[in-house]
Amino acid sequence: MLSIRLPTVYRNIAKSVRKLWFLRSSKIIHLLCDISEQSIENNGWVLLSTAGNIIKKQLPDELEHMKERYGHSSLKSLILASELFDVGEEKTPKGGKRVLFRLSDLGSTPDYS
């Protein structure tokens, strides 16, 4: 049998694509998409803490083992790695910050009007 070895750069690209596919197909990312899509108010923006509470209730095992399964120790890091969401911060009345996210428009049809 003939064995072909790809150059390192192509092997690394293939590995990155597999990791991204695995992450995007996870239950936790699917739930985050659902949460974002259900948030009609605020143009789809959702507080990350609100999503975290929903995930704790619906997928506690996924959240507990997120680091081992996906290599991310925070929901924000996981969301950013999926490349499916926009992430933003806003100031709170007491001077702190809170993180918001929404499903990105990458797949939507551009508006040229």
Side-chain angles (χ1 to χ4, degrees):
M1 177 183 277
L2 179 62
S3 176
I4 299 173
R5 185 140 172 99
L6 292 172
T8 303
V9 67
Y10 294 117
R11 287 195 313 268
N12 290 341
I13 291 170
K15 184 178 180 181
S16 294
V17 168
R18 283 192 307 270
K19 285 175 77 172
L20 187 58
W21 177 85
F22 177 72
L23 179 60
R24 287 182 174 181
S25 63
S26 69
K27 291 178 185 178
I28 201 166
I29 291 295
H30 282 259
L31 182 54
L32 287 165
C33 289
D34 290 344
I35 292 167
S36 180
E37 287 175 343
Q38 291 173 11
S39 177
I40 298 169
E41 56 195 52
N42 299 326
N43 295 324
W45 288 101
V46 180
L47 284 172
L48 188 58
S49 58
T50 300
N53 290 332
I54 294 168
I55 293 168
K56 276 182 194 176
K57 291 177 185 171
Q58 294 187 18
L59 299 172
D61 190 56
E62 287 285 308
L63 196 58
E64 184 178 335
H65 300 289
M66 187 171 56
K67 175 71 172 167
E68 296 88 25
R69 291 182 183 160
Y70 310 112
H72 298 276
S73 56
S74 71
L75 274 178
K76 183 178 178 181
S77 173
L78 185 80
I79 286 172
L80 290 169
S82 76
E83 300 176 8
L84 292 172
F85 301 95
D86 297 324
V87 177
E89 291 183 347
E90 69 179 13
K91 292 183 180 181
T92 63
K94 293 185 178 180
K97 292 181 186 177
R98 56 187 186 176
V99 178
L100 298 105
F101 74 98
R102 70 176 175 186
L103 201 53
S104 178
D105 290 336
L106 293 176
S108 66
T109 307
D111 182 12
Y112 293 110
S113 51

